[in-house]
Structures are given as C-alpha cells and as structure tokens.
Amino acid sequence: KMASTAAGKQRIPKVAKVKNKAPAEVQITAEQLLREAKERELELLPPPPKQKITDEEELNDYKLRKRKGFEDNIRKNRTVISNWIKYAQWEESLKEIQRARSIYERALDVDHRNITLWLKYAEMEMKSRQVNHARNIWDRAITILPRVNQFWYKYTYMEEMLGNVAGCRQVFERWMEWEPDEQAWHSYINFELRYKEVDKARTIYERYILLFLFSLKNWIKYARFEEKHGYIAHSRKVYERAVEFFGEEHVDENLFVAFARFEETQKEFERVRVIYKYALDRIPKHQAQELFKNYTMFEKKFGDRRGIEDVIVSKRRFQYEEEVKANPHNYDAWFDYLRLVESDADPDTVREVYERAIANIPPIQEKRHWRRYIYLWINYGLYEELEVKDPERTRQVYQACLDLIPHKKFTFAKIWLLYAQFEIRQKNLQGARKVMGTAIGKCPKNKLLKGYIELELQLREFDRCRKLYEKYLEFIAIGQPRLDIKVKLLWNLYKRLLQRTQHVKVWISYAKFELSIDSPDRLQKCRQIYEEANKGMRSCEEKEERLMLLESWREFEKEFGSDSTMERVRKLLPEKVKKRRKLTAEDGSDAGWEEYYDYIFPEDAANQPNLKLLAMAKMWKRKQADDTVEQVPDKSPTAEEAALSSSSEPAAENQPENDSDNNTETETEQEKTYDDRDDDNSSSSSSSSESDSEEEEEEKKKDEEEKEKDGGGEKKEKESRSSEEEKD
C-alpha cells in the first residue's frame, strides 16, 4: 500500500534490500518436486474395498457390469486385439467357453492375420480338452497363414501328444509341401526317428537334399545319419555323391575333411590318404588350411615319414601353383615348382609341368626378357637326358627350343653348345658338327666359334681347327666397326671415371688401353696420357702414387721411347731423402724421434728452397773429393775418404740401402738426412747429430741461426766445411 503525507502527496514505500545474494545450498527444481511427490505417494488413491459376492443376483450384476465395460472398450477401439483377448480370457475364467469362443470369432473377423489371436484361441480349446475344436482352429490357421511355422509346430506337437502318429505325419506332409526352411525338415526327420522309422527318415532326407542341393552341411548331416544307424555303405555313397555333385567348381574343404574322418573311423587309411591327396590337388591353398591341418594330423597318427613328407610336398606344390597362376611369366616360381616335382613326382607329371612352363613365351623379343626363360628349356633337356634317359625326347626338346628362338634378332650360344655336346655324348659326331655348322651359319658369335674350335681340339681335328680359325678371323674383320664402337665406349668410360677420381691406377690403365689399340698414333696417345696424368697429380698428397706413375712411364719409354724421351722422364723422377720428426705421446710428453723417407720432385723445386741448398752442398763435396784425388793420385783412399765419397755421390753403384720401408731407390735419388728440429731452410747430417753431445748441438744451432742471415750459397758452403771439420 502507499502511505499519504501531511501535504496530501503519496510516497512509495521502501523496498527491503537483499543482503545475501548467494544461491541457496539446496535448489528446488521441478524434477525434485516430482520425485518427492512420487516418494510420498501423494496422488495414490487407496484401493477399493473387496467385494464379496454372496448370491446369484450379485454375480449376475457383477458379470453384467464387467461385460458392459469390456464391450465399451471394444466399441471405443475395435482394432486393439488386447481388449478382445482380455475379454475372452475373462469369460474363460468364468468357464463361459461358448461366450469366449464367440469373442475369439468376433476378434478374428476384425483381424484374422493376428498370430497371437489364433494361438490364444487354440490354447483355450486345448485347455478345455476340446480336441476337435482345437484341431479345427489349427486347420483354419495353417490354411490362412501357411508360412507361420509356429502354427505347424503347435499343431504337430498337439497331434503327437495325443498319440495320433498318422495324423501328425499327415500334418508334416502338408507342411513339407510348402517347402519350409531346414529346421522344419529336421523336425520331420526327428519325428520319424523317434518312432524308429529309419527308411521314412531316409526318404525325407532324399527329398530334403534335392530341395537344398547346394547346402553342404545337409549332405554331411545325411551321411552322418546313415553312419549313425550303421549304414556304412549308404554313408560312403552319400559322400561320393556330394563330391561328384559339387565337382571342382564348388568344391569345399569341409566336405573332404568330413569324408576323410568318416573313412578314418572305419579304419580305411588308404582311402583317407587318397581323399586328402585328391582334395589337395583341386582346392586352392588359401582355402585348404583346415585340410592341410587334418592331413598332417592323420599322417602323424597313422602314417610314416614318407607320408609326412608327402604332406609337406603337397603344401608347397599348392603354393607354387598359386604363384604361377597369379603370374605365368614368373620363371623363378616355375624353377622352384619344377625342382619340387622332379624330386617327388613321376616323369609324366614332371613333363606336364615343364610343358606348362615353356608355354609361357616372353611377350617381347628382347634378349634380356629371354635370359631366365631359356633355362627352362635347358633344364628340360637335361632332365630328359640325365633323369629319364630318353635321348630322342631330349633331341626333340633342343630342336623345339632352337626353332622358337628368333635367331635374326638374338640367339643363345649355350643352347647350341649344349645340343652339340649332347650329340657327342650320344656318339653322334656328325650330328654335333651339323648343329654347330648351323649355328655359325645362322648367327656367328664369338662363343659359338670358340666353342666349335674347342670341340674340334678335343677331337684332335687340327685341320678343322685351322679352317674355323680362318672363319673366326673373317668374322672379326667383318665386325671391325663394332670394335670401333666398343673402343669409343671405353674412351668415354675412362674419361667419366677420371672426372670422378684421379687415382694413379686409373691413369695407368688408361695409358695401357691406348697402347693396346692397334693404331699408328698409339704411342703418342699413350705418352700424352702420361703427360696429363703427371700434371694432374702434381697436387696429389700421396707422393708414392706420383712416383708409381713416373716409374710406369719410364718402363714405357724404355720399351717404346728414345733416349731423349727417357731423359725427359728421368728428369722428372724425385729425390729420395731421409728426415727426422719429433714424436709426441698421447699425454703430450716427448716420445722421441723417428726417421722417415720423403720424395722431392724437381718440378716442385720452386716450392722447396732447401733443394737448392742440397744441390750446392753436393757440388762442394764433389769438388772437395776431386781436389783430394788430384793431391794424392797414387795413394789409395782412406776409410774416412771412402765414407765421404760414398756419402757425397748419389749415383754410386754400390751405395748401401738404409730404407727401412723396403722402397727401392731410383738412379737419380740421393739419400739425405734432415733434422726436423731445425728450420726448413737448414739441414745437417744425421750421423753428426748422433755423434755430438747435447752441448755441441746447442752451439751448432746458434751458429746456424747466425748463418741464416748470410747468403744462401755462402751459408751452405760454411755448413759443409763445418761438417767436414767435425768428421775429421
């Protein structure tokens, strides 16, 4: 309400403010309200009081009210069959069978295809022991709805329970005319077997098999039925009929497994083995896993080692069959297959596989596609000759192979040679010569000519060999352009190889190849290659390889060159010197000194300043030796002078070899010893360094450092004099 003020104006009352706006801990929802109402059962009404009927008038009144309620429900919706069934069952509970029967009939008029309605109707009649009424209902039901198997099952069950075997059989016969599913037939068969009617059951099986011909399990059930009742011959006949009916197109491993197990129970082991082998020959490998498994188990139980091997062979044979079917031109698979059958099968089977294999001719007439294929013919011929020992058939194999090869495009020398060698083994020398003559006439090749010559050499027919060699030379002369093409190809290969690597062996091989070509300028080309190799290897770190090249060049000039060319190569040879270098251990400590040999090439003199110093020292020593000889001409040299002269002249014939690496010194090589402890431009004799003491070494170093400041020639001269004084 609104309050009024003293001035007569209205004012708005104050609204209470909400202080706590947080949500409540328990939220009231519609779902919660409904759940609580259900738990408290607020809407449930108490059950009505029980009514006790004490006289007939009350009973009639009760019946009238119930019937009126059922009729009202039916009148509201006639199609609701549950109302009709409830109504009929209520009348049945009051023993009002006639009224219940009337209600069911009225309901059938509404919906005669309702299965539940028929079942409830027939069950009511059977409960009431109204057999004829029930039989009448079943007849009407199977007539109206013959595809409802439930009616037939109920009907036959009722007749059998009543002991009416003939009536039950009659119902089954009416049912079978409609060709029901397999379970119906089995029910009929089991019915006959319950009354020991085996012949009638067999007749039903025959009709059943004819109806379901392609159902393998029905054949197996039929055979087991015969076996179970002791008719072994009939059972075997059923299996045989099944195998014949299905044939090779629709064959199944389960049929053969069942057949083999049947024979195994009858102790017919040979029959079992035949069945398994027959099946394995006709069923693809990927569809015969269970068959292989059972066959292996059978052989392990009743077979020997040979039987087990047969199982393995059969399995592998199936595998190869699948491979060659997938790709007939897979010749490797044919080789494996043929090796398998050759080790196990009879000659006719092997021949059949060989014929199948050679029938797969390569589709392209190129030799690379025929290389594997041709070995099928070779193996075929060898098999006929060595295993079957049939010379005439072997001859036919070779001849057929030679007729097949397109000799104008390519040929195979091995076939001609094998054919000729076969004729020689058959002591048919004339035939062998005829074969080789035909080969040379059709397609002359190096292998054919060489093979023919070797054949005549073995026969000691030298005149024929001469004639064949003449033919061979004519063939080579005719084929000279082909040789030129090969030479060009080799040139290209060498050039391409040298682009990848500058190895000394490649250069030497290239030079020898040029030397081997019969041409007027071959020596010039070979020498040119050596020149190019020497220039190309100047930057090579491996000096031994460069020396190897020069030595090969020197051998070439010795044999084919002149004095000037030999002198040219001799000037290029290096000088072999001995050096020392300091070694350092892994821990960084001093490990001593080692000697090694190095090569100094004259062409590299611009990069080696100490080479000039060595030359000047050598000249000074040689001059000193000459002066000594002039002063004492008649006196034999002392040991010291002999040692001096031997160490100063590099070209002495009896120079001692101190090469620890087994390297041979050339004529122009001068062995020198360097001490790596000095600078690159200073050198000293290793023998003097070993004889002097450490103090003398230090003094020598100081002197050498001072001498380095002087000119190169003066320095070398002083060093040489000091070394002579030390030796004296």
Side-chain angles (χ1 to χ4, degrees):
K1 294 181 181 180
M2 299 181 66
S4 59
T5 61
K9 296 182 179 180
Q10 295 181 349
R11 64 179 180 85
I12 301 173
K14 294 182 180 181
V15 180
K17 295 181 179 180
V18 179
K19 295 182 179 180
N20 186 7
K21 296 183 179 180
E25 294 181 359
V26 179
Q27 295 292 318
I28 307 300
T29 61
E31 182 182 359
Q32 183 178 358
L33 294 173
L34 292 174
R35 184 172 60 253
E36 290 179 355
K38 179 66 176 175
E39 291 175 355
R40 297 175 183 177
E41 296 181 353
L42 299 177
E43 297 179 358
L44 294 180
L45 298 175
K50 291 183 180 181
Q51 182 179 4
K52 294 183 180 181
I53 299 174
T54 57
D55 55 3
E56 186 177 355
E57 185 178 354
E58 290 180 357
L59 178 60
N60 293 332
D61 183 58
Y62 167 74
K63 289 179 180 180
L64 181 61
R65 283 187 286 104
K66 289 290 290 183
R67 287 187 181 120
K68 186 178 182 301
F70 282 121
E71 290 291 343
D72 290 340
N73 291 335
I74 291 172
R75 191 164 45 252
K76 290 177 184 178
N77 194 348
R78 293 172 55 86
T79 58
V80 179
I81 302 300
S82 60
N83 293 333
W84 294 95
I85 294 175
K86 291 178 181 179
Y87 190 9
Q89 289 178 345
W90 180 76
E91 293 290 354
E92 182 185 357
S93 65
L94 297 177
K95 306 300 181 181
E96 295 287 347
I97 303 301
Q98 190 62 35
R99 285 181 175 272
R101 191 178 292 128
S102 176
I103 295 169
Y104 278 120
E105 290 294 339
R106 289 167 58 196
L108 290 174
D109 291 337
V110 175
D111 186 8
H112 66 281
R113 303 187 64 84
N114 191 290
I115 298 174
T116 306
L117 194 59
W118 287 102
L119 293 175
K120 295 294 183 181
Y121 191 8
E123 288 176 1
M124 183 196 72
E125 297 292 354
M126 288 190 293
K127 289 179 182 178
S128 303
R129 300 182 180 275
Q130 301 294 327
V131 178
N132 291 329
H133 282 280
R135 190 178 286 123
N136 185 24
I137 293 170
W138 290 126
D139 282 334
R140 291 166 59 193
I142 61 178
T143 303
I144 296 172
L145 301 172
R147 292 297 180 185
V148 180
N149 293 333
Q150 197 171 2
F151 294 161
W152 295 99
Y153 285 120
K154 294 282 187 178
Y155 194 6
T156 55
Y157 178 74
M158 184 191 75
E159 295 291 353
E160 189 175 0
M161 291 295 100
L162 294 173
N164 187 12
V165 178
C168 183
R169 186 178 291 114
Q170 186 178 3
V171 174
F172 270 117
E173 287 295 333
R174 290 175 59 188
W175 190 8
M176 298 303 111
E177 291 177 0
W178 290 96
E179 297 181 358
D181 57 8
E182 298 178 4
Q183 185 60 41
W185 289 92
H186 288 298
S187 299
Y188 191 11
I189 293 169
N190 293 333
F191 163 74
E192 296 292 355
L193 292 177
R194 282 195 293 269
Y195 295 97
K196 312 300 182 184
E197 296 289 345
V198 179
D199 294 335
K200 291 183 179 180
R202 185 181 295 112
T203 305
I204 299 169
Y205 260 120
E206 290 290 342
R207 294 165 57 191
Y208 173 41
I209 292 298
L210 293 175
L211 183 62
F212 300 95
L213 280 174
F214 292 97
S215 180
L216 177 62
K217 61 181 181 180
N218 295 329
W219 288 92
I220 297 174
K221 287 180 179 180
Y222 186 17
R224 289 176 178 172
F225 156 77
E226 297 287 3
E227 179 186 1
K228 181 179 179 181
H229 292 86
Y231 296 95
I232 304 303
H234 288 186
S235 179
R236 184 176 290 115
K237 187 177 181 180
V238 172
Y239 280 119
E240 292 173 354
R241 286 171 56 193
V243 172
E244 182 180 358
F245 172 76
F246 286 100
E248 296 184 3
E249 296 181 358
H250 304 282
V251 69
D252 194 299
E253 64 172 346
N254 295 323
L255 174 61
F256 292 101
V257 169
F259 194 5
R261 287 178 178 175
F262 161 74
E263 296 293 355
E264 184 178 341
T265 56
Q266 305 303 319
K267 309 299 182 182
E268 296 287 348
F269 301 129
E270 289 302 322
R271 284 178 177 268
V272 176
R273 196 168 283 109
V274 170
I275 291 168
Y276 278 125
K277 290 183 178 180
Y278 177 86
L280 291 173
D281 290 339
R282 286 159 177 81
I283 300 178
K285 175 183 175 296
H286 63 277
Q287 299 178 3
Q289 299 297 328
E290 192 68 22
L291 192 66
F292 276 117
K293 179 180 177 182
N294 285 274
Y295 188 19
T296 307
M297 293 174 59
F298 166 76
E299 290 294 348
K300 287 181 179 179
K301 289 190 293 185
F302 305 104
D304 52 4
R305 180 179 179 181
R306 177 63 180 173
I308 298 173
E309 291 177 354
D310 288 342
V311 177
I312 299 172
V313 169
S314 299
K315 188 173 183 179
R316 291 175 59 193
R317 185 171 180 179
F318 266 94
Q319 180 181 356
Y320 294 140
E321 281 287 350
E322 292 298 317
E323 290 182 6
V324 297
K325 283 181 182 179
N327 184 9
H329 292 92
N330 185 4
Y331 301 121
D332 291 328
W334 282 110
F335 288 135
D336 296 337
Y337 192 8
L338 288 166
R339 279 195 293 269
L340 177 66
V341 296
E342 282 182 13
S343 63
D344 183 71
D346 56 288
D348 293 335
T349 304
V350 177
R351 287 193 185 109
E352 187 261 336
V353 178
Y354 266 116
E355 292 295 334
R356 289 171 54 197
I358 61 178
N360 300 294
I361 303 172
I364 303 174
Q365 288 189 353
E366 293 182 10
K367 192 169 183 177
R368 61 190 181 92
H369 294 287
W370 287 62
R371 294 187 187 277
R372 296 294 292 163
Y373 170 73
I374 208 67
Y375 279 99
L376 291 173
W377 287 95
I378 294 174
N379 293 346
Y380 193 7
L382 294 176
Y383 173 76
E384 292 289 351
E385 180 187 359
L386 302 178
E387 299 295 333
V388 186
K389 302 187 184 304
D390 190 344
E392 187 59 34
R393 194 172 181 88
T394 306
R395 191 174 289 109
Q396 293 175 3
V397 171
Y398 281 119
Q399 192 61 47
C401 178
L402 292 173
D403 294 341
L404 185 65
I405 299 173
H407 300 288
K408 293 183 179 180
K409 294 186 177 181
F410 59 86
T411 189
F412 290 93
K414 57 177 69 67
I415 289 291
W416 295 101
L417 295 173
L418 288 171
Y419 191 9
Q421 292 167 3
F422 160 74
E423 293 293 356
I424 291 174
R425 288 193 292 271
Q426 300 301 318
K427 301 180 180 180
N428 185 9
L429 184 58
Q430 189 65 27
R433 285 173 175 159
K434 183 179 179 181
V435 170
M436 295 306 299
T438 306
I440 294 173
K442 283 187 175 182
C443 42
K445 291 182 63 176
N446 290 338
K447 289 184 179 180
L448 288 173
L449 290 165
K450 289 180 180 179
Y452 198 1
I453 291 170
E454 290 178 1
L455 187 148
E456 295 295 350
L457 279 175
Q458 293 175 358
L459 298 173
R460 298 296 186 268
E461 294 287 346
F462 301 113
D463 293 335
R464 289 181 177 272
C465 289
R466 291 189 184 95
K467 293 180 181 179
L468 289 172
Y469 269 118
E470 292 176 0
K471 294 287 185 183
Y472 193 11
L473 293 174
E474 291 177 4
F475 169 70
I476 294 175
I478 293 171
Q480 187 64 39
R482 189 179 302 173
L483 293 177
D484 294 341
I485 294 173
K486 292 181 179 178
V487 170
K488 292 180 181 178
L489 290 175
L490 286 173
W491 280 338
N492 292 332
L493 288 175
Y494 273 116
K495 290 178 181 178
R496 289 169 60 187
L497 184 58
L498 288 171
Q499 290 177 358
R500 293 177 177 268
T501 178
Q502 292 287 325
H503 199 276
V504 64
K505 291 185 178 180
V506 179
W507 285 109
I508 295 174
S509 177
Y510 190 13
K512 290 181 178 179
F513 165 70
E514 289 288 359
L515 186 63
S516 65
I517 298 174
D518 190 8
S519 62
D521 57 344
R522 64 190 183 99
L523 298 180
Q524 184 63 27
K525 289 184 177 179
C526 182
R527 189 174 289 112
Q528 184 179 357
I529 291 172
Y530 277 120
E531 290 281 358
E532 294 178 1
N534 186 41
K535 291 179 182 179
M537 297 186 67
R538 284 180 181 177
S539 60
C540 179
E541 296 181 358
E542 298 294 335
K543 296 183 178 181
E544 288 81 1
E545 293 186 359
R546 189 175 175 186
L547 176 62
M548 187 188 304
L549 176 71
L550 293 174
E551 289 177 348
S552 175
W553 191 2
R554 184 179 63 180
E555 295 298 327
F556 162 74
E557 297 295 352
K558 281 183 180 180
E559 185 175 357
F560 301 100
S562 60
D563 293 339
S564 60
T565 57
M566 289 181 61
E567 182 65 20
R568 164 92 172 96
V569 178
R570 189 183 66 78
K571 290 180 179 180
L572 297 175
L573 291 171
E575 205 171 352
K576 185 178 181 181
V577 296
K578 184 187 293 184
K579 291 185 178 182
R580 300 179 69 195
R581 56 190 170 196
K582 191 175 183 180
L583 298 179
T584 305
E586 295 181 357
D587 56 355
S589 61
D590 189 3
W593 299 80
E594 71 167 356
E595 293 183 351
Y596 70 96
Y597 288 94
D598 193 11
Y599 296 95
I600 300 176
F601 290 86
E603 292 180 324
D604 301 339
N607 299 325
Q608 299 287 344
N610 55 352
L611 187 64
K612 296 181 180 179
L613 299 178
L614 286 173
M616 295 177 66
K618 184 170 67 174
M619 291 174 62
W620 183 85
K621 287 183 180 180
R622 187 176 296 171
K623 184 178 180 181
Q624 290 292 326
D626 292 341
D627 294 342
T628 306
V629 173
E630 289 178 359
Q631 293 176 2
V632 190
D634 297 331
K635 185 178 180 180
S636 60
T638 62
E640 295 179 355
E641 292 175 348
L644 177 62
S645 63
S646 64
S647 63
S648 62
E649 295 191 8
E653 295 182 357
N654 297 325
Q655 181 179 355
E657 296 181 0
N658 296 324
D659 191 353
S660 61
D661 296 333
N662 296 327
N663 293 326
T664 305
E665 298 181 0
T666 61
E667 294 180 0
T668 60
E669 291 173 350
Q670 176 66 33
E671 182 174 325
K672 294 293 180 180
T673 304
Y674 286 90
D675 192 350
D676 285 354
R677 293 172 295 178
D678 300 334
D679 295 334
D680 292 339
N681 294 331
S682 63
S683 62
S684 62
S685 174
S686 62
S687 59
S688 64
S689 63
E690 292 175 359
S691 61
D692 293 339
S693 63
E694 294 181 357
E695 296 178 357
E696 292 174 348
E697 288 290 337
E698 293 178 357
E699 292 177 0
K700 188 190 298 181
K701 288 181 181 180
K702 293 178 180 179
D703 294 337
E704 288 173 353
E705 290 176 357
E706 294 175 357
K707 291 175 183 178
E708 284 179 356
K709 300 177 181 179
D710 299 334
E714 183 180 356
K715 177 182 176 182
K716 188 65 182 180
E717 184 178 356
K718 291 179 180 180
E719 287 176 354
S720 301
R721 289 177 182 176
S722 63
S723 62
E724 290 293 335
E725 292 174 358
E726 288 171 0
K727 287 183 179 180
D728 294 337

